[in-house]
Amino acid sequence: MAVRRTSRAQQKARKSGSAGKENVAAEKVDNESGQQTAPAPPAAAQPLVERTPIPREDVILPLEPYTLVSCQWRDDKMHPARIVDRREVNGEYQYYVHYRKLNRRMDEWVSVDKLDLDTVIPPEPIDPNDPKSKKRRYEDHSEEEGEGHEAFDEQELRHHEEVTKVKNIGKIELGRYQMDTWYFSPLPQEYNGVNTLYFCEYDLAFFKKRDEMLRHLKKVRNLHPPGAEIYRHKGISMFEIDGRREKEYCQNLCYLAKLFLDHKTLTYDVDFFLFYVMCECDERGAHITGYFSKEKYSEEGRNLACILTLPAYQRRGYGKFLISFSYELSKIEKKVGTPERPLSDLGLVSYRGYWTRTLLTILKEMEGPVSIKELSEMTMIKPEDIISTLQHLKMIQYIKGQHVICAAPHAVEAHLKACGSPGLPVEPSKIIWTPHDHSKD
């Protein structure tokens, strides 16, 4: 698939010379799949069911789940919320609320004094003779929040929300940091409802009490993750851990990660995954900051399945480092890679940032024609991801059977500036790694 680079002025002249005989927009590349599809009209937004608050004197306490009400958030402002669950503590009811315009990680338990009872909208009653009434109650809130679950069908989404609707752990302590949790994690039943869960930062064993964790810590001999250290540079190390060989550590890592990731899959067999754990190293050992995982064998060429930077270590460029590291491993393997789909909104932003910086840096420095295949071979980025990125940047068009890149220097500079910092750079020469041998599994 040959690709020619042209300036925008050249393309404009070409378009005017063709008298508009070919409609370039009639065939374009879909941002997610990379497949050529006819442009579809934008989907009409589905309006929410409009209902009005009831008079204050008609409000009956305790409020029922699915009730809509304004609630005071941590910014001291009232936000539209939905009651997800309720519980009785010392004779007083507490309500687990979801702020309808905020991400689910902001959900929390609140007392009744945080609620504006003048804004109560009771849930729609369920008519036992109307099988669709329960569905209508669900649909009344399923489209309002935009939780990034577009790939779920209705049944999957209902099951996911029912299982994960209430966070079961309040916060964790890991090393010298305490972190508020964001989501439900499928920990063993006896840990549900624990306010603070204490993790050993070296082997990720977890405990209900801090003194239990400290007693365990005295017995720990290896002050780093298990597995092989495959990278060390300027105080940062990467460890490769085989899910089959270190099952308990990897399962604990998944429990930990799920507290900060809202994924459809709550548990999976770690045997079929490799885990790459990033650590900050000092005289006290190697302290986990984040990780990514990937399948040992992927027919689709996936070089990353799951990625997380722990909240205490965010805004340091570590997420960009992990994405970059996954592609450096792909270069060693000499295999084109792509992340597992579907990508969340934030995941897509992160990857587009990496793809944009990588591709435009090459286009800025290269002279003469370049093909999508050549770009893929240099970067190990999947051709479909290259096409979707350049289309998102409005720097590629499909004309007369071939993709044409419009890489005007000023446009390249503007996009490179807009995509921000590259984060913590990976030093490829410091990677000591051999690709996994599937025949030994």
Side-chain angles (χ1 to χ4, degrees):
M1 177 165 46
V3 177
R4 293 177 293 165
R5 292 190 291 169
T6 66
S7 69
R8 293 191 180 275
Q10 288 173 320
Q11 287 215 346
K12 186 174 181 180
R14 178 180 298 167
K15 287 182 180 180
S16 61
S18 64
K21 290 183 179 179
E22 182 162 358
N23 182 5
V24 176
E27 190 173 9
K28 64 180 181 179
V29 180
D30 181 84
N31 283 340
E32 294 294 336
S33 66
Q35 302 297 316
Q36 292 174 350
T37 58
Q46 296 295 324
L48 299 176
V49 177
E50 290 292 341
R51 292 183 285 125
T52 57
I54 62 174
R56 175 66 179 84
E57 57 269 21
D58 292 340
V59 174
I60 300 175
L61 296 178
L63 299 176
E64 298 287 337
Y66 291 97
T67 296
L68 304 182
V69 62
S70 293
C71 181
Q72 185 179 16
W73 192 49
R74 61 192 68 171
D75 61 358
D76 292 329
K77 296 179 181 179
M78 303 303 291
H79 292 261
R82 184 183 75 252
I83 293 178
V84 177
D85 202 356
R86 68 185 186 186
R87 66 186 181 189
E88 190 173 0
V89 179
N90 298 326
E92 299 287 339
Y93 272 92
Q94 296 178 346
Y95 300 93
Y96 193 79
V97 298
H98 169 71
Y99 299 97
R100 300 171 69 196
K101 302 302 180 183
L102 302 179
N103 189 278
R104 286 179 65 204
R105 65 174 176 265
M106 306 302 180
D107 295 4
E108 61 182 345
W109 288 102
V110 299
S111 55
V112 69
D113 61 294
K114 296 287 187 180
L115 306 178
D116 181 357
L117 298 182
D118 289 324
T119 64
V120 170
I121 301 177
E124 181 179 349
I126 294 179
D127 183 352
N129 299 319
D130 182 3
K132 294 184 178 180
S133 64
K134 187 174 182 179
K135 180 180 179 181
R136 283 197 301 271
R137 173 185 281 193
Y138 171 78
E139 289 176 343
D140 191 30
H141 72 83
S142 63
E143 299 297 328
E144 69 191 19
E145 298 113 355
E147 296 293 345
H149 297 135
E150 293 80 3
F152 289 16
D153 62 31
E154 183 179 307
Q155 185 174 357
E156 287 177 325
L157 185 55
R158 285 188 187 183
H159 175 72
H160 174 80
E161 287 198 351
E162 180 61 31
V163 172
T164 68
K165 65 182 182 180
V166 178
K167 286 183 282 191
N168 51 341
I169 304 295
K171 58 186 174 182
I172 66 162
E173 184 175 301
L174 179 70
R176 62 179 181 269
Y177 293 107
Q178 282 197 349
M179 294 168 257
D180 291 335
T181 63
W182 294 355
Y183 303 109
F184 172 91
S185 179
L187 291 152
Q189 185 68 29
E190 62 265 28
Y191 295 93
N192 284 350
V194 173
N195 182 49
T196 303
L197 195 62
Y198 299 89
F199 280 84
C200 170
E201 62 178 332
Y202 302 117
D203 62 11
L204 299 187
F206 48 87
F207 305 88
K208 295 180 182 179
K209 298 180 179 180
R210 193 169 192 271
D211 56 353
E212 293 177 345
M213 186 273 292
L214 293 176
R215 286 197 297 270
H216 168 83
L217 192 58
K218 292 178 181 179
K219 303 175 185 177
V220 173
R221 295 291 175 263
N222 295 323
L223 304 183
H224 57 76
E229 186 179 12
I230 62 173
Y231 178 88
R232 183 188 296 181
H233 183 59
K234 294 185 176 180
I236 297 296
S237 289
M238 290 290 293
F239 292 82
E240 180 186 63
I241 304 162
D242 188 327
R244 182 185 296 275
R245 296 181 180 179
E246 303 290 347
K247 183 173 294 188
E248 183 176 357
Y249 179 92
C250 295
Q251 287 176 338
N252 289 347
L253 178 58
C254 292
Y255 286 139
L256 171 64
K258 185 59 191 67
L259 291 167
F260 304 101
L261 295 173
D262 190 19
H263 280 197
K264 176 178 68 174
T265 303
L266 297 180
T267 59
Y268 51 77
D269 192 343
V270 297
D271 287 14
F272 302 103
F273 288 82
L274 295 168
F275 296 80
Y276 296 88
V277 175
M278 180 182 183
C279 295
E280 288 183 352
C281 299
D282 58 23
E283 66 280 359
R284 297 186 300 109
H287 315 285
I288 179 173
T289 66
Y291 85 104
F292 72 88
S293 62
K294 72 172 184 176
E295 295 174 275
K296 292 179 179 178
Y297 176 75
S298 171
E299 293 182 354
E300 297 83 5
R302 296 169 179 164
N303 64 354
L304 186 144
C306 184
I307 183 172
L308 170 70
T309 302
L310 290 166
Y313 296 95
Q314 291 178 0
R315 300 186 182 278
R316 302 187 190 184
Y318 288 174
K320 296 173 182 177
F321 176 93
L322 291 171
I323 292 174
S324 180
F325 198 90
S326 71
Y327 278 101
E328 292 299 332
L329 298 187
S330 293
K331 291 175 185 177
I332 296 174
E333 286 184 288
K334 294 182 171 57
K335 293 181 180 179
V336 171
T338 190
E340 183 175 295
R341 298 311 198 273
L343 290 172
S344 67
D345 290 344
L346 292 178
L348 183 58
V349 169
S350 298
Y351 267 93
R352 274 193 178 145
Y354 172 81
W355 294 330
T356 296
R357 284 187 299 272
T358 302
L359 296 172
L360 295 194
T361 299
I362 292 174
L363 293 177
K364 178 182 176 181
E365 297 173 353
M366 286 193 65
E367 295 182 0
V370 62
S371 69
I372 296 293
K373 181 180 179 182
E374 288 170 334
L375 286 173
S376 181
E377 290 172 348
M378 284 186 279
T379 62
M380 289 300 144
I381 299 174
K382 195 173 183 179
E384 289 85 349
D385 295 333
I386 294 175
I387 294 170
S388 69
T389 300
L390 294 177
Q391 189 202 20
H392 176 72
L393 299 173
K394 295 181 171 54
M395 298 184 72
I396 190 171
Q397 294 191 21
Y398 195 72
I399 299 177
K400 295 183 178 179
Q402 66 177 344
H403 288 97
V404 179
I405 298 176
C406 22
H410 70 279
V412 171
E413 289 290 350
H415 285 304
L416 280 173
K417 186 176 181 180
C419 70
S421 162
L424 181 69
V426 177
E427 178 51 60
S429 65
K430 301 297 182 179
I431 300 176
I432 302 175
W433 180 71
T434 302
H436 182 75
D437 186 352
H438 310 294
S439 65
K440 294 182 180 180
D441 286 339

